[in-house]
Amino acid sequence: ITKSFFSGGKGDPKNCANTGVVYWGKRLLALYEASLPVELDPAGLHTVGVTRIAASLPKRSSFTARPKYDPASDRLVGMRYSPLAANAEAQFFEYDDSWQCVSRASMGLKGHAILHDFGVTRKHYVVHQAPSSINSIALSLGLQPPMECISYDESRDGAFHIVARDGGEPRTVAAPGSGFLFQIANAFENKETG
């Protein structure tokens, strides 16, 4: 199914690596949220190759196109998930300036999920799960283009998922009437409620 989703049922998924770029720890990565990062030579901009970032990501995986920098911990924070799973899982990674994965957290999600972006606070990761569904039969058989297999599900509410960076219990907050949230502009801790 993974191959079908990103290639229209025609073989291996394409890695455009054209959505975001990050320079961190003396490495330059071109990013596309449906595939692994592609490392570029920072001086000549030629392609070095696909990277699993110090083997922190699975071989057939993805990584966000919008990593976040946390100045309080001096870490680069990334996320990955599978847009094809019936019950998705969001995984978060924190890297030091030598690209060592120094922290991981995850949260299981109910139902199909497209997590286009995420927010980071001092204590939490925040993602929005739109009320969407996927027609996996049409997708796997290549009967429809991948994006046409995903639909908005009016019968469900969206949700914000809040995952503790220290490994505490994740929380879910209903977001009735929410649609598809493209970017999270800001996330912060409430000083009164934590």
Side-chain angles (χ1 to χ4, degrees), residues 163-176:
V163 181
R165 289 174 71 176
D166 66 3
E169 280 298 309
R171 296 180 286 159
T172 297
V173 178

Side-chain angles (χ1 to χ4, degrees), residues 26-89:
K26 299 182 182 176
R27 292 174 74 184
L28 179 63
L29 303 182
L31 306 168
Y32 173 59
E33 61 252 1
S35 298
L36 289 168
V38 174
E39 186 168 358
L40 304 174
D41 175 77
L45 297 181
H46 63 269
T47 303
V48 175
V50 172
T51 178
R52 292 178 43 223
I53 310 176
S56 65
L57 301 170
K59 288 180 183 177
R60 295 190 64 89
S61 181
S62 63
F63 188 71
T64 184
R66 294 161 193 84
K68 312 295 184 213
Y69 173 66
D70 177 12
S73 63
D74 193 29
R75 292 181 181 173
L76 188 73
V77 182
M79 177 194 73
R80 71 168 296 276
Y81 77 102
S82 172
L84 303 175
N87 289 300
E89 178 183 51

